[in-house]
Amino acid sequence: MMEKIKIGAIGLGRLGYQHAENIAFKIPGAELIALCDKNEEKLNETVKAWGIPYSYTDYDEMIKNEELDAVVITSPSALHTTQIANALEAGLHVFSEKPLGTSVEECKVAEAAVEKYPDLVFMLGFMRRYDPSYAYAREKIKNGEIGKVVLFRGYSQDPESCIEGAIAYAGHSGGQFIDMAVHDIDLARWMLDSEPKTIHAIGGCYAHEEFGKYKDGDNVSALMQMENDAMVFLFAGRTAPHGYNVETEIVGTKATLRIASVPQKNMVEILDEHGVRRECSQDFLERFEQAYIEEINEFISCIRENRKPEVTVYDGTKTTEIAYQCKQAFETNELIRP
Amino acid sequence: MMEKIKIGAIGLGRLGYQHAENIAFKIPGAELIALCDKNEEKLNETVKAWGIPYSYTDYDEMIKNEELDAVVITSPSALHTTQIANALEAGLHVFSEKPLGTSVEECKVAEAAVEKYPDLVFMLGFMRRYDPSYAYAREKIKNGEIGKVVLFRGYSQDPESCIEGAIAYAGHSGGQFIDMAVHDIDLARWMLDSEPKTIHAIGGCYAHEEFGKYKDGDNVSALMQMENDAMVFLFAGRTAPHGYNVETEIVGTKATLRIASVPQKNMVEILDEHGVRRECSQDFLERFEQAYIEEINEFISCIRENRKPEVTVYDGTKTTEIAYQCKQAFETNELIRP
Amino acid sequence: MMEKIKIGAIGLGRLGYQHAENIAFKIPGAELIALCDKNEEKLNETVKAWGIPYSYTDYDEMIKNEELDAVVITSPSALHTTQIANALEAGLHVFSEKPLGTSVEECKVAEAAVEKYPDLVFMLGFMRRYDPSYAYAREKIKNGEIGKVVLFRGYSQDPESCIEGAIAYAGHSGGQFIDMAVHDIDLARWMLDSEPKTIHAIGGCYAHEEFGKYKDGDNVSALMQMENDAMVFLFAGRTAPHGYNVETEIVGTKATLRIASVPQKNMVEILDEHGVRRECSQDFLERFEQAYIEEINEFISCIRENRKPEVTVYDGTKTTEIAYQCKQAFETNELIRP
Amino acid sequence: MMEKIKIGAIGLGRLGYQHAENIAFKIPGAELIALCDKNEEKLNETVKAWGIPYSYTDYDEMIKNEELDAVVITSPSALHTTQIANALEAGLHVFSEKPLGTSVEECKVAEAAVEKYPDLVFMLGFMRRYDPSYAYAREKIKNGEIGKVVLFRGYSQDPESCIEGAIAYAGHSGGQFIDMAVHDIDLARWMLDSEPKTIHAIGGCYAHEEFGKYKDGDNVSALMQMENDAMVFLFAGRTAPHGYNVETEIVGTKATLRIASVPQKNMVEILDEHGVRRECSQDFLERFEQAYIEEINEFISCIRENRKPEVTVYDGTKTTEIAYQCKQAFETNELIRP
């Protein structure tokens, strides 16, 4: 058996905790040897429960740990680019959650750092690409099975049941396009191999006025045309009553593919007084459970095999750039021509 | 335009009323000129509302009306065979609701009457054969598209919401096999072109003990093997929480067909706090709305074109016979070899 | 029984023939007494087959027939408004297929004629409103069951198998928005009770360059925001490989409704070497078979009950206007603010 | 991190290879340190590729290896009970694939061995219990969410594409009930908490006469009534054109649950010339990929936590017994009353 890749993880929020737990227990090729979080109580509790040898409240201390091979970053978005640069500087491979940065300028900083250390692996957490269904659909598109792509439709809806957290975080999220639609922007670019030439965006506060003060909506949408003429319709919302609805459709001239048009929790169908029904996934951790594991597996494999992941730092920058253009289109109500 | 076929209808229960209303308003080739029911109030009210010229409380009076071309019988099952025979005797074409009779002996009486008047049309109300989906499936089977039939599975479930009526009627229904499974027995014979060689049946009272005193269950099932070796599994129940569930599956060596595996009310899908769901049909009138019209259209066409319907009086007898054998298998808990 | 409404129908193209056949054989309250078409052979053949007493090659001759109560117009779009006005002038009730006219000016002519004869019934053929599933969805929306409407998504896709006819007709259709999306525009206005305040439209020729010479695409889309802030996404295409796909989604804050998200031909599911599948409707006549009957039934009822249909002449004008604005948005690639 | 459980695995057939690979790479709590197979080439190749320290062609040699904590047995069915007994004798925890034995007598041997070593963990590979959807359904049943169970319907269909292997193995499989339906028998007992009181079974060779010479069919079914009156319908076939179809329905008085009524490969829906469709799982390794991992995880947890798995050796015996009774019912065409 090969030596395990030794990993330090920062961030014990919901997704950070999941990443850490996956690395500790579900990724045979990796070993979680260090954890970092500002919340000491949560940190100590976790380190103790899992038997992790090193713990830190200071990220820059953690990356000095010479046993480390790599870091996994799930910190607040505004810290990503600095932490990426510092880890690379320290000779560590880096996996960072999306977004790459909270501005295009920040992204450029990350780009420079990544370019400076071409021997280190850098990977960005666009986990949907590692979901088996998305990967399967992508293959069909690449193989020409759906013909020329006509329309990409991407929905990202959070359940209404999470609205309180979303409102509380509204001032920091960057807005719907940057916080949520960014995944669909990545998928669209990945599946269509093209960049937008026009962007129009609309939306509003249909249930929760609170988003208005950040010039954001609780539900927004954008219509883009790509340079290869493919149409892209994005819809991002926070008020889905039925659950976490991430649904994608790619209409081609020869076939249409729909991924998760029913966001079913599992393979159980229920027939009761509500009709014939499927219960739905309730959050990203449930829907993308396997994808979160697969992406870290891929990160580990890249390190081992000395190759680069498909998702590059430039994808991070470009996606951020487009998300900001959507935001601008939404705020100005003008047609953007990037 | 051709002269309309003039029809007298007996029975203003739920299905009888629907047949009468269809003839009055939805069957362009027919004209409802007479109505018969013991309930004078209901009769007068209906006759008045629809402008029907003749009304009767006595069936034998009605069939003397010389303007009539045909009768449609939806009276209590025990009256069917006599009314069929009398109408034929009076020179009228006859459409009778199922069952043909409440015993095989009664059915033989109807057979004799039908044989005596070969120029008159006799048709039995196995409406499922006229449902577009069943008809479509049958064509595929006949065309060999599913290969050799391996298994026929037929479910007939009434909704729990109708249980009170079912309990009240339990002493007269003849039991689950005769009252409900008879439609599936007809479908199986129609689709498989074969008769049973062994019959086993089980079941019980899972929610409503009341059926026990009639040696019946609220849910029962039978497993039959046909002479051509095809397997037939029948399930009939009265406690479906989700609605009126008539579902049929035909497993062949080349393909499987499923008809109404979701008994959806219409083409609307709902995504709400219960998940992603379809509301269901709630009764036979809703599910087979179109089939009830189509079968009367076919009856009218047979009269006009001087031909016989596909469903013969012998289908009525045979189906009744098999239903009684299922009942016997259920009551004795023995394997029946017809 | 009431006297039947006597109808003259013009146009024996696919839809016109279907309307005529429905009136002749499936609408008990109506009688088809006159038919008009330029194609004498088709006309004579039909009149003879169905036993229709009067036939015409000249519409203005037909409407002089004093036995007529009403006309049903399914002629080429450019003739609609004149024929509507002339029939009203002749004292006849009028049912006209969509579009009301091929320009807003033409529509205004029809409006004036309708206003001049307030005692006559005028109805426009937006048949989707009479489809049971659309009607059911509308009720839920009106009853507040889905909360505030966030997004209306309407797809109208013709099957690739019909592309030759579409190309041949491309110079006369007015383009995708006027020919196809007009139904979705009507549905959106009907369901959202609001008018667009911004319109953006894109698209292209993804499979068939022929549409380009008419400044049209084979697939187009539009994103509109309504005055009540609801978002509307329309997609109209001519290259669907799987069939005639008319699909509508209404996302609300409390529930989402999807109508015909699988354009299933019937209730048969097939399990074979292609997987588990539903065959699809192949054209509008198949998908909206029942709606075409229901709308004529409603027209007849309005005449009888001396009331006006829900679809007014103004809906025709407004829908045409919006379709032209979509077309303009598509041609200029500018954001339209009506 | 805890010490890993050191495992030796026997059998490198399809499922054995998968178990070994899972243990080697996907079960963080386990370490595969020894492999055993008669096929030396396959053995050496695998051991080398994965870096496994020990390899054996003789099972009894392997279990002498003092580093081992446990064995995972995926050998031919006839060897199971002896290998189980010998491993327990050697002080090893044992996971064995189903069936426990190829006769009830063999099963009793295994029972005795398991009883003799109460401190060792013994687990039988009824992996379906560890599939997330089955586990979810079971919970609902246990919580009373479906009311009283009326009917359990279990389908186990292998794809026609695997028929050659099945024919070749027909003489050794024990027949459809023992080879395939045994999983459904286990599920029925697990979900209904009851044992059969009557068993009837039928079937035949619908596509492949070859099974006839082993008194078996290519498709068979059984209808059982349990002591608590619940009905159980089992269908096992080898000729499914669409894929590996393991489908289960539990009809209760308050709700019905269906597990995998569409054996969908993933969350991708395809709209193409075949209609709207889902591609299907093609074999047990694909459908139960996660369950095979979960069950070994549970085995490891039981060892660590010094507790016993839910599936006991007695479940193995009882299931085998019922499968033989089904076989007897099928062969004699008599009703069996166990």
Side-chain angles (χ1 to χ4, degrees):
Chain A
M1 297 279 168
M2 265 173 283
E3 193 79 1
K4 296 196 167 199
I5 302 298
K6 292 188 175 56
I7 291 182
I10 177 166
L12 284 171
R14 286 181 71 204
L15 178 52
Y17 185 91
Q18 186 66 60
H19 273 313
E21 193 179 30
N22 287 346
I23 297 163
F25 300 106
K26 298 196 172 169
I27 311 283
E31 191 175 344
L32 185 71
I33 66 161
L35 262 183
C36 176
D37 198 277
K38 293 281 180 215
N39 179 336
E40 274 193 81
E41 194 183 331
K42 176 91 180 173
L43 177 68
N44 292 336
E45 187 188 298
T46 310
V47 155
K48 193 174 160 201
W50 298 349
I52 308 299
Y54 303 104
S55 70
Y56 303 88
T57 53
D58 179 341
Y59 174 79
D60 290 315
E61 282 306 306
M62 180 171 78
I63 59 179
K64 287 183 193 156
N65 184 327
E66 299 212 337
E67 291 179 39
L68 284 178
D69 296 312
V71 290
V72 167
I73 298 172
T74 326
S75 55
S77 306
L79 305 176
H80 288 181
T81 50
T82 311
Q83 292 181 344
I84 291 166
N86 292 357
L88 290 166
E89 188 79 27
L92 299 173
H93 304 287
V94 176
F95 175 95
S96 173
E97 255 312 307
K98 66 96 206 168
L100 179 56
T102 57
S103 69
V104 175
E105 294 66 36
E106 276 182 30
C107 293
K108 296 285 183 188
V109 170
E111 280 189 11
V114 170
E115 285 171 359
K116 194 168 161 196
Y117 299 97
D119 293 342
L120 293 174
V121 171
F122 171 76
M123 184 168 169
L124 198 60
F126 284 132
M127 82 291 184
R128 291 191 194 171
R129 296 194 188 194
Y130 298 92
D131 173 72
S133 297
Y134 280 105
Y136 190 80
R138 173 84 197 297
E139 276 307 296
K140 285 197 179 282
I141 295 170
K142 270 180 64 180
N143 297 343
E145 292 180 45
I146 74 164
K148 185 167 180 182
V149 176
V150 171
L151 173 70
F152 173 101
R153 171 171 64 92
Y155 280 19
S156 286
Q157 293 174 273
D158 265 351
E160 174 69 28
S161 59
C162 298
I163 196 69
E164 285 186 32
I167 290 171
Y169 189 58
H172 308 280
S173 75
Q176 296 279 85
F177 291 108
I178 286 149
D179 192 36
M180 298 187 67
V182 72
H183 281 293
D184 290 305
I185 294 169
D186 178 61
L187 285 182
R189 293 178 63 250
W190 183 51
M191 289 190 169
L192 308 189
D193 262 326
S194 192
E195 306 294 343
K197 61 181 181 189
T198 59
I199 301 176
H200 177 53
I202 56 176
C205 293
Y206 299 86
H208 304 284
E209 288 299 332
E210 294 88 335
F211 293 94
K213 67 177 152 186
Y214 306 102
K215 293 191 188 163
D216 199 11
D218 54 20
N219 284 274
V220 302
S221 68
L223 180 61
M224 315 198 296
Q225 186 155 32
M226 308 300 267
E227 277 160 9
N228 70 2
D229 276 346
M231 298 178 270
V232 172
F233 175 64
L234 306 177
F235 172 56
R238 298 206 183 272
T239 60
H242 60 296
Y244 177 70
N245 192 77
V246 168
E247 171 181 354
T248 308
E249 180 181 32
I250 307 105
V251 178
T253 52
K254 296 222 178 87
T256 287
L257 302 179
R258 291 180 178 174
I259 299 115
S261 60
V262 172
Q264 59 187 61
K265 183 188 275 297
N266 52 35
M267 297 179 90
V268 179
E269 191 174 53
I270 303 171
L271 293 74
D272 64 11
E273 71 273 20
H274 304 301
V276 175
R277 64 195 181 94
R278 299 276 184 155
E279 292 177 326
C280 300
S281 295
Q282 289 304 311
D283 64 21
F284 55 95
L285 294 178
E286 183 178 7
R287 169 62 184 92
F288 290 108
E289 180 185 354
Q290 200 175 343
Y292 283 119
I293 293 171
E294 292 303 327
E295 67 174 0
I296 300 292
N297 273 330
E298 170 65 4
F299 176 57
I300 300 299
S301 297
C302 285
I303 295 171
R304 274 197 204 298
E305 298 162 16
N306 199 20
R307 59 178 173 80
K308 292 297 163 64
E310 197 194 31
V311 200
T312 69
V313 71
Y314 306 106
D315 289 318
T317 309
K318 193 69 198 170
T319 304
T320 304
E321 198 168 56
I322 296 169
Y324 271 99
Q325 288 158 350
C326 289
K327 184 180 162 72
Q328 183 194 346
F330 174 73
E331 290 180 5
T332 62
N333 198 13
E334 294 290 344
L335 189 62
I336 303 292
R337 294 185 168 86
Chain B
M1 298 278 167
M2 264 174 282
E3 193 78 1
K4 296 198 166 199
I5 302 298
K6 292 187 175 57
I7 292 182
I10 176 164
L12 285 171
R14 287 182 70 204
L15 178 51
Y17 184 90
Q18 186 66 61
H19 273 313
E21 194 179 29
N22 286 347
I23 297 163
F25 301 106
K26 299 194 171 170
I27 312 283
E31 190 176 345
L32 185 71
I33 65 161
L35 263 182
C36 177
D37 198 276
K38 293 281 180 216
N39 180 335
E40 275 193 79
E41 194 184 331
K42 176 90 180 174
L43 177 68
N44 292 334
E45 187 187 298
T46 310
V47 155
K48 194 174 160 201
W50 297 350
I52 307 299
Y54 304 104
S55 69
Y56 304 87
T57 53
D58 179 342
Y59 174 79
D60 290 315
E61 281 306 307
M62 180 171 78
I63 60 179
K64 287 183 194 157
N65 184 326
E66 298 211 339
E67 291 180 39
L68 285 179
D69 296 312
V71 290
V72 167
I73 298 171
T74 326
S75 55
S77 305
L79 305 177
H80 288 180
T81 49
T82 310
Q83 292 180 343
I84 291 167
N86 292 356
L88 291 166
E89 189 79 28
L92 300 173
H93 304 286
V94 177
F95 175 95
S96 173
E97 255 310 310
K98 66 96 204 166
L100 179 56
T102 57
S103 69
V104 174
E105 294 65 35
E106 277 181 29
C107 293
K108 295 286 183 187
V109 170
E111 280 188 11
V114 170
E115 285 171 359
K116 194 169 161 195
Y117 299 97
D119 292 343
L120 293 174
V121 171
F122 171 77
M123 184 168 169
L124 198 61
F126 284 133
M127 82 291 184
R128 291 191 194 170
R129 296 194 187 194
Y130 298 93
D131 173 71
S133 297
Y134 279 105
Y136 190 81
R138 173 85 197 297
E139 274 308 295
K140 285 195 180 284
I141 295 170
K142 271 180 64 180
N143 297 344
E145 291 180 45
I146 75 164
K148 185 168 179 181
V149 175
V150 171
L151 173 70
F152 172 101
R153 172 171 63 91
Y155 281 19
S156 286
Q157 293 174 274
D158 265 351
E160 174 69 29
S161 60
C162 298
I163 196 68
E164 285 185 33
I167 290 173
Y169 189 59
H172 308 280
S173 76
Q176 295 278 86
F177 290 109
I178 286 150
D179 192 36
M180 299 187 65
V182 72
H183 281 293
D184 291 304
I185 293 169
D186 178 61
L187 285 181
R189 292 178 63 250
W190 183 50
M191 288 189 168
L192 309 188
D193 262 327
S194 192
E195 306 294 342
K197 62 181 181 190
T198 60
I199 302 177
H200 177 52
I202 55 177
C205 294
Y206 300 87
H208 304 284
E209 288 299 332
E210 293 89 336
F211 294 95
K213 66 178 150 185
Y214 306 102
K215 292 191 189 164
D216 198 11
D218 54 19
N219 285 274
V220 301
S221 67
L223 181 61
M224 314 197 297
Q225 185 154 32
M226 307 302 266
E227 277 159 10
N228 70 1
D229 276 346
M231 298 178 270
V232 172
F233 175 63
L234 306 178
F235 172 55
R238 299 207 181 269
T239 60
H242 60 296
Y244 176 71
N245 193 78
V246 168
E247 171 181 355
T248 308
E249 179 181 32
I250 306 105
V251 177
T253 52
K254 296 222 177 86
T256 286
L257 302 179
R258 291 180 179 175
I259 299 117
S261 61
V262 172
Q264 59 187 61
K265 182 188 274 301
N266 52 34
M267 298 180 89
V268 179
E269 190 174 54
I270 303 171
L271 293 74
D272 64 9
E273 71 273 21
H274 304 300
V276 175
R277 64 194 181 94
R278 298 275 185 155
E279 292 178 325
C280 300
S281 294
Q282 289 304 311
D283 63 22
F284 55 95
L285 295 179
E286 182 177 9
R287 168 64 183 88
F288 290 107
E289 181 185 354
Q290 200 174 344
Y292 283 119
I293 293 171
E294 292 303 327
E295 67 174 1
I296 300 292
N297 274 328
E298 170 65 3
F299 176 57
I300 300 300
S301 297
C302 285
I303 294 172
R304 274 197 205 296
E305 298 163 16
N306 198 21
R307 59 177 173 81
K308 292 296 163 65
E310 196 193 31
V311 199
T312 70
V313 70
Y314 308 105
D315 288 319
T317 308
K318 193 69 197 170
T319 304
T320 304
E321 198 168 57
I322 296 168
Y324 271 99
Q325 287 159 350
C326 288
K327 183 179 162 71
Q328 183 195 346
F330 174 72
E331 290 181 4
T332 61
N333 198 14
E334 294 291 344
L335 187 62
I336 303 293
R337 293 184 168 86
Chain C
M1 297 276 169
M2 266 174 282
E3 193 79 358
K4 298 199 166 197
I5 303 297
K6 292 188 174 56
I7 292 182
I10 176 165
L12 285 171
R14 286 181 71 205
L15 177 52
Y17 185 90
Q18 186 65 60
H19 273 313
E21 194 179 30
N22 286 347
I23 297 163
F25 300 107
K26 298 195 172 169
I27 312 282
E31 191 175 344
L32 186 71
I33 66 161
L35 262 181
C36 176
D37 198 276
K38 293 280 181 216
N39 179 336
E40 276 193 78
E41 194 184 332
K42 176 90 179 174
L43 177 69
N44 292 334
E45 188 186 298
T46 311
V47 155
K48 193 174 160 203
W50 298 349
I52 307 299
Y54 303 104
S55 69
Y56 304 87
T57 54
D58 180 342
Y59 175 79
D60 290 315
E61 282 305 309
M62 179 171 78
I63 60 179
K64 287 183 195 158
N65 185 326
E66 300 212 337
E67 292 179 39
L68 285 179
D69 296 311
V71 290
V72 167
I73 298 171
T74 326
S75 56
S77 305
L79 305 177
H80 288 181
T81 50
T82 311
Q83 293 181 344
I84 291 166
N86 292 355
L88 291 166
E89 188 79 29
L92 300 173
H93 304 287
V94 176
F95 176 95
S96 171
E97 255 312 308
K98 66 94 204 171
L100 179 57
T102 58
S103 69
V104 176
E105 293 66 35
E106 277 181 28
C107 293
K108 296 287 184 189
V109 169
E111 279 188 12
V114 170
E115 286 170 0
K116 194 169 161 194
Y117 300 97
D119 293 341
L120 293 173
V121 172
F122 172 75
M123 184 167 168
L124 199 61
F126 284 133
M127 82 292 186
R128 290 191 195 172
R129 296 194 187 194
Y130 299 93
D131 174 71
S133 297
Y134 280 105
Y136 190 80
R138 174 83 197 299
E139 275 307 295
K140 284 194 180 284
I141 295 170
K142 270 179 65 180
N143 297 343
E145 292 180 44
I146 75 164
K148 187 167 179 183
V149 175
V150 170
L151 172 70
F152 172 100
R153 171 171 64 90
Y155 280 20
S156 286
Q157 292 175 274
D158 264 351
E160 174 69 28
S161 60
C162 298
I163 196 68
E164 284 188 33
I167 291 171
Y169 189 60
H172 307 279
S173 75
Q176 295 279 86
F177 290 108
I178 286 150
D179 192 36
M180 298 187 67
V182 72
H183 281 293
D184 291 305
I185 293 169
D186 178 60
L187 285 181
R189 293 179 63 252
W190 182 52
M191 289 190 168
L192 309 189
D193 262 326
S194 193
E195 306 294 342
K197 62 182 182 190
T198 60
I199 301 176
H200 177 52
I202 57 176
C205 293
Y206 299 86
H208 304 284
E209 288 299 332
E210 293 88 334
F211 293 94
K213 67 177 148 182
Y214 306 102
K215 292 192 189 163
D216 198 12
D218 53 21
N219 285 274
V220 300
S221 67
L223 180 61
M224 315 199 296
Q225 187 155 31
M226 308 301 266
E227 278 160 9
N228 68 1
D229 277 348
M231 299 179 270
V232 172
F233 175 63
L234 306 177
F235 172 55
R238 299 206 181 271
T239 60
H242 61 297
Y244 176 70
N245 193 78
V246 168
E247 171 181 354
T248 307
E249 179 182 31
I250 307 106
V251 178
T253 51
K254 295 220 177 88
T256 287
L257 302 178
R258 290 180 178 175
I259 299 118
S261 60
V262 172
Q264 60 188 58
K265 183 189 275 298
N266 51 35
M267 297 180 89
V268 179
E269 190 174 55
I270 303 170
L271 292 74
D272 65 9
E273 72 273 21
H274 304 301
V276 175
R277 64 193 180 94
R278 298 275 185 156
E279 292 178 325
C280 300
S281 294
Q282 289 305 309
D283 63 22
F284 55 95
L285 295 179
E286 183 178 7
R287 169 64 184 88
F288 290 107
E289 181 185 354
Q290 201 176 344
Y292 283 120
I293 292 171
E294 293 303 327
E295 67 174 1
I296 299 293
N297 273 327
E298 170 67 2
F299 176 56
I300 299 300
S301 296
C302 285
I303 294 172
R304 273 195 205 298
E305 300 163 14
N306 197 23
R307 59 177 174 80
K308 293 295 164 64
E310 197 193 32
V311 200
T312 71
V313 70
Y314 307 105
D315 289 319
T317 308
K318 192 69 198 171
T319 304
T320 304
E321 199 168 56
I322 296 169
Y324 270 100
Q325 287 158 349
C326 288
K327 183 179 163 71
Q328 183 194 346
F330 174 73
E331 289 181 5
T332 62
N333 199 13
E334 294 291 344
L335 188 62
I336 303 292
R337 294 182 169 88
Chain D
M1 297 279 169
M2 266 174 283
E3 193 78 0
K4 297 197 166 200
I5 303 297
K6 291 187 174 59
I7 292 182
I10 176 164
L12 286 171
R14 287 181 71 206
L15 177 52
Y17 185 90
Q18 186 65 59
H19 274 313
E21 195 179 30
N22 287 346
I23 298 163
F25 301 107
K26 299 195 172 169
I27 313 282
E31 190 175 345
L32 186 71
I33 67 161
L35 261 181
C36 176
D37 198 276
K38 293 280 181 214
N39 180 335
E40 275 194 80
E41 195 184 331
K42 176 88 180 174
L43 177 69
N44 292 334
E45 188 187 297
T46 310
V47 155
K48 193 174 161 202
W50 298 350
I52 307 300
Y54 303 104
S55 69
Y56 304 86
T57 52
D58 179 342
Y59 174 80
D60 290 315
E61 282 306 307
M62 180 171 78
I63 59 179
K64 288 183 194 155
N65 184 327
E66 300 210 338
E67 292 179 39
L68 284 179
D69 297 310
V71 291
V72 167
I73 298 171
T74 327
S75 55
S77 305
L79 305 177
H80 288 182
T81 50
T82 311
Q83 292 181 343
I84 290 166
N86 291 356
L88 290 166
E89 189 79 28
L92 300 173
H93 304 287
V94 176
F95 175 96
S96 173
E97 255 312 308
K98 67 93 206 172
L100 178 57
T102 57
S103 69
V104 176
E105 294 66 36
E106 276 182 29
C107 293
K108 297 286 183 187
V109 170
E111 280 188 12
V114 170
E115 286 171 358
K116 194 169 161 193
Y117 299 97
D119 293 342
L120 293 173
V121 172
F122 171 76
M123 184 168 169
L124 198 60
F126 284 132
M127 82 291 184
R128 291 190 195 172
R129 297 194 188 194
Y130 299 92
D131 173 71
S133 297
Y134 280 105
Y136 190 80
R138 174 83 196 299
E139 276 306 296
K140 284 194 180 284
I141 295 170
K142 269 179 65 181
N143 297 343
E145 293 180 44
I146 74 164
K148 186 166 179 182
V149 175
V150 171
L151 173 70
F152 172 100
R153 173 171 63 91
Y155 281 19
S156 285
Q157 293 174 274
D158 264 351
E160 174 70 29
S161 59
C162 297
I163 197 68
E164 284 187 32
I167 291 172
Y169 189 60
H172 307 280
S173 75
Q176 294 280 85
F177 290 107
I178 287 149
D179 193 35
M180 298 187 67
V182 72
H183 281 293
D184 291 304
I185 294 169
D186 178 60
L187 285 182
R189 293 179 63 252
W190 183 51
M191 290 190 168
L192 309 189
D193 262 327
S194 193
E195 306 294 342
K197 62 182 180 190
T198 60
I199 302 176
H200 177 52
I202 57 177
C205 294
Y206 300 85
H208 304 285
E209 288 299 332
E210 293 89 335
F211 294 94
K213 68 178 148 182
Y214 305 102
K215 292 191 189 163
D216 199 11
D218 53 21
N219 284 275
V220 301
S221 66
L223 179 62
M224 313 197 298
Q225 186 154 32
M226 308 301 266
E227 277 160 9
N228 68 2
D229 278 345
M231 298 179 269
V232 172
F233 176 64
L234 306 177
F235 172 55
R238 299 206 180 270
T239 60
H242 61 295
Y244 176 71
N245 193 79
V246 169
E247 171 182 355
T248 308
E249 179 181 33
I250 307 105
V251 177
T253 51
K254 295 221 178 89
T256 287
L257 302 178
R258 291 181 178 174
I259 299 118
S261 60
V262 172
Q264 59 187 60
K265 183 189 274 300
N266 52 34
M267 296 179 90
V268 179
E269 190 174 55
I270 303 171
L271 293 75
D272 64 10
E273 72 273 22
H274 304 300
V276 175
R277 65 193 179 94
R278 299 274 184 155
E279 292 178 325
C280 301
S281 295
Q282 290 305 309
D283 64 21
F284 55 96
L285 295 178
E286 183 178 7
R287 168 64 183 88
F288 290 106
E289 181 184 355
Q290 201 176 341
Y292 283 120
I293 293 171
E294 293 303 327
E295 67 174 0
I296 299 293
N297 274 328
E298 170 65 2
F299 176 57
I300 300 299
S301 297
C302 285
I303 295 171
R304 273 195 204 298
E305 299 164 15
N306 198 23
R307 59 178 174 79
K308 292 296 163 65
E310 196 193 31
V311 200
T312 70
V313 70
Y314 306 105
D315 289 319
T317 308
K318 192 70 198 170
T319 305
T320 303
E321 200 169 54
I322 296 169
Y324 270 100
Q325 287 159 349
C326 288
K327 183 180 164 71
Q328 183 194 346
F330 174 74
E331 290 181 4
T332 62
N333 198 14
E334 295 291 345
L335 188 61
I336 302 293
R337 294 184 168 87

